[in-house]
Amino acid sequence: NEGKSLITLGAGTGFSWGTTSLQVPGGQYYLCWCSGRDSPSCSSVTDFFLPLGVFNMASPSAEQQARVVQCVSGTRCVASGFLGHGLRQNDR
């Protein structure tokens, strides 16, 4: 759906992307709003001119998501060198 949510819920107090998985790389995404009054279809990027906030997706970088780390049950396992957005030391 090109990142657009479904029609708002609860008289405009909530929104959803439905049951489809939203798969995006880690990073900052800006949430913007289209009222539907001036442009009922809300089909153009320029219709979404009111910024609502920022959505942060924390995850390893796309290249590192493909890395495989093999660990043996019951033994210490270290997976180091992961970089990405929103990751902090001691994350588990």
Side-chain angles (χ1 to χ4, degrees), residues 26 59-61 64 82-87:
S59 73
S61 66
Q64 294 179 345
F82 280 91
L83 303 173
H85 180 81
L87 302 180

Side-chain angles (χ1 to χ4, degrees), residues 4-44:
K4 292 186 284 187
S5 70
L6 303 174
I7 301 288
T8 56
L9 312 167
T13 60
F15 61 92
S16 169
W17 282 279
T19 58
T20 303
S21 294
L22 181 63
Q23 297 180 6
V24 295
Q28 261 190 352
Y29 295 88
Y30 294 93
L31 300 174
C32 300
W33 183 67
C34 171
S35 71
R37 279 185 284 172
D38 298 326
S39 177
S41 66
C42 294
S43 58
S44 172

Side-chain angles (χ1 to χ4, degrees), residues 56 58-60 79 82-92:
N56 284 298
S59 73
F82 280 91
L83 303 173
H85 180 81
L87 302 180
R88 297 184 309 260
Q89 188 168 345
N90 299 323
D91 279 353
R92 298 172 184 240

Side-chain angles (χ1 to χ4, degrees), residues 45-76:
V45 171
T46 58
D47 296 335
F48 294 84
F49 59 87
L50 182 64
L52 292 180
V54 178
F55 175 79
N56 284 298
M57 173 65 77
S59 73
S61 66
E63 298 82 28
Q64 294 179 345
Q65 288 180 20
R67 285 179 53 189
V68 175
V69 177
Q70 293 183 343
C71 298
V72 177
S73 178
T75 64
R76 184 168 189 253

